Amino acid sequence: MELNNTQKKVLLQGNEAIVAGALAAGCRFFAGYPITPASEISEILSVKLPEFGGTFVQMEDEIASMGAVLGASLAGVKAMTATSGPGFSLIQENLGYGCITEVPCVIVNVMRGGPSTGLPTSPAQGDVQMARWGTHGDHPIIVLAVSSVADCFSVTVRAFNLSEKYRTPVIILSDEVVAHTRESVILPEPDQIRVFDRVKPDVPPEWYKPYADNNRSVPDMSSLGDGYRHHVTGLVHDEKGFPTQNPQEIKQFLTRIHKKISKGFQDIQITKNHHMEDAEVFVIAYGSVARSALRAVRDARKLGVKAGLVQLITLFPFPRKAVDTYLRQCRVAIVPEMNMGQMSREVGRVNQAGCRIVKHNRIDGQLITPEEILKHLTTV
Amino acid sequence: MLERAEIIRKEYLRHDKKFPHVWCPGCGNGIVMGALLRAIHSIGLSKDEVVLASGIGCSGRLPTYVDFNTIHTTHGRALTFATGIKLAKPELSVLTVMGDGDATAIGGNHFIHAARRNIDLTAIIINNATYGMTGGQYSPATPYGAKSTTSVYGHVEHAFNIAELAVAAGASFVARSTVYHASHLEQMIKKAIEKRGFSVMEIISNCHVQHGRRNKLGGAVEMINGFKERAVTIGKAEKMNPEELEGKITIGVLTDVEKPISTDEYRRIAAEAKEKADNITKAKEKNGIKRYEE
């Protein structure tokens, strides 16, 4: 996003930037249940959505919120919800429904310490694997992470675009630090933002097959009430949307929902590299920890250490190719996380280069500091 | 009469894939489906403007067979999906079909809140006092003392009175009928759909396979005839004392009140908010200050 002189800086909180991103991406429906540290997203949207001709509703719980989000999206409106760990647990049931029925929507999880009620006002990154595997069954999912207020805006726009493009729920992982940090950012003009809308069918209604394969492996999606009457079910279904128990049809369907994501790997997997050109040791980080890592890398450079940072924006599908290049280039990879090693597991899984992987974990509700990472960078 | 049945069969059922249906012979769900289709037909709603959402269980399969916009959601959550649909596209007629376990156990919270919210939805609840598809376990509507696969010694808990629960939770319209009273049922469903606001239609149905057999209530015919014997109209019931009403099924309209509908109210306040925001934008532009689309 190029900046120009006419734009003004605005002071925003991470949660506010998510709202701005959602509205810019065309989100016009929000259903949620208040929870710290995600509540600001509901509060601001309750004010903003009516102004944009959208709808806000506070539901009785997170299961209901996710149901309402899916209903609204099926009716043709871009929809989202926002929650934190305990609420994210409840969302999982209908998240799976969103995956099998291929309903675009965005779920923001502002992570807090867990398990259970855990640490409501402290940052953590403990929900990474839950975002990937929280709901039951084999299904692909897109998980993105934000590390700054500017990210909150751009990644949210991206999340909506990906969900519309691939007809799938997209999860944004934020954390308490990002959510409540205020930074001055320059938001792009509306005409600079690329917005993707779901592809609608243009065939006569009697020809429409709501779950048919095509060259993108993403079926065209009609909205409720626009004449393409069909059946939507959480049961495994055939091309027409009717439940099936035919092994051939089951396999075809489940293979396709995986295929549509794997076809888009290049497009979905986003990483940001800092000082990686000549790096010998590097940090793989995401979320607020990536900010500490960047500082640590810069400080290490000053001390003569050839350090770099690969910041993951996409956590799942895991950006294997991007990471693999550097696992081959460097001798050590440091993976700092505010959990017991949920992402370092992924790094380890794809590490075929024999790169040494150093975990750095902190689970005491405190942000990992640049000094902690710097210590690794200068001693490994 | 036969002519109308023919129209409904040809017009509203999905013949391309979904028959025969999954229900047991003699199941009340078919009677409910027929009454529902006749009610929709007589109101004259177009098939495109009707959305039928269901939860899980035998009743959950009903939308599969009928040619509307149909959604088979997760267990107990039909009303949450319906709420999202109605809020996003208020011009649609949104109906849910749920079972007693679906609506009042796992979906109990959504049910009372949908009633409280008074959103313009129609909730049809088929009450057969058991979890039929899962194997005949007790549900929140299973009577005290009844036997089920999870209460083989007799049920020690008490049943919800679903219609009264809906009244207490604030539904605008609540009616009850049984699968014996097919014509009455159709009239009641019609009223429930036509009512603006949250309307609940409790339909007493038979599960002779799971509930009837274990409780020696006979087959489909005996159970359905039993509803005829036990039914009393609301008018009559008002003149009866509690002892006389013991074991009876009150049928008819239990509640019909007018109150603000949240869908309409939201549109109203949203329009006001939009107007206010637009005025501020206009004023700022006039003064040369650009407003950010945040």
Side-chain angles (χ1 to χ4, degrees), chain A residues 7-8 51 55-56 58 60 63 67-68 71 75 93-94 97 224-225 229-234 238 242, chain B residues 14 16-18 48 67 70-72 74 77 80-81 84-85 89 110 117 266-267 274 277 291-292 294:
Chain A
Q7 289 170 303
K8 269 197 215 155
E51 298 181 1
T55 309
F56 166 89
Q58 184 171 303
E60 54 273 17
I63 307 175
E93 175 194 356
N94 281 338
Y97 186 90
L224 293 172
R229 292 189 306 277
H230 67 271
H231 189 54
V232 179
T233 176
D238 61 17
F242 291 124
Chain B
R14 279 179 172 146
D16 41 353
K17 176 133 177 162
K18 283 301 128 206
D48 282 327
D67 191 19
T70 54
I71 306 173
H72 179 212
T74 41
R77 320 296 180 208
T80 72
F81 283 73
I85 294 164
K89 261 198 184 172
H110 308 313
R117 200 169 272 133
Y266 190 82
R267 293 292 135 190
K274 191 169 190 305
R291 181 169 171 265
Y292 282 84
E294 50 197 48

Side-chain angles (χ1 to χ4, degrees), chain B residues 193-211:
Chain B
I193 297 171
E194 282 173 332
K195 176 74 185 185
R196 299 257 303 125
F198 189 71
S199 45
V200 176
M201 179 70 229
E202 184 188 4
I203 303 164
I204 307 298
S205 185
N206 57 305
C207 181
H208 46 282
V209 175
Q210 301 287 12
H211 181 66

Side-chain angles (χ1 to χ4, degrees), chain A residues 54-76:
Chain A
T55 309
F56 166 89
V57 63
Q58 184 171 303
M59 297 298 284
E60 54 273 17
D61 59 31
E62 287 86 350
I63 307 175
S65 306
M66 192 60 199
V69 162
L70 294 173
S73 184
L74 284 164

Side-chain angles (χ1 to χ4, degrees), chain B residues 11-12 55-56 94 96 105 123 135 145 148 151 160 170 213 216 250 255 264:
Chain B
E11 281 290 308
Y12 292 94
I56 299 294
V94 189
T96 63
S148 73
S151 63
F160 267 141
R213 184 166 53 88
K216 302 196 165 46
T250 320
T255 269
D264 298 349

Side-chain angles (χ1 to χ4, degrees), chain A residues 135-158:
Chain A
T135 189
H136 56 281
D138 286 309
H139 64 91
I141 193 96
I142 299 174
V143 183
L144 309 175
V146 288
S147 72
S148 66
V149 173
D151 263 7
C152 285
F153 182 87
S154 59
V155 170
T156 305
V157 173
R158 188 101 190 187

Side-chain angles (χ1 to χ4, degrees), chain A residues 67 209 282 285 314:
Chain A
K209 286 182 180 168
F282 78 123
T314 307

Side-chain angles (χ1 to χ4, degrees), chain A residues 37 39 41 45 66 74 121 129 144 151 156 202 210 215 219 221 224 292 318 348 369:
Chain A
S39 297
I41 299 176
L45 278 169
M66 192 60 199
L74 284 164
T121 56
Q129 292 292 346
L144 309 175
D151 263 7
T156 305
D202 53 5
N215 57 359
M221 187 176 179
L224 293 172
S292 297
F318 186 75
T369 61

Side-chain angles (χ1 to χ4, degrees), chain B residues 102-118:
Chain B
D102 192 35
T104 62
I106 188 163
N109 199 27
H110 308 313
F111 179 56
I112 57 172
H113 284 280
R116 174 189 62 77
R117 200 169 272 133
N118 196 32

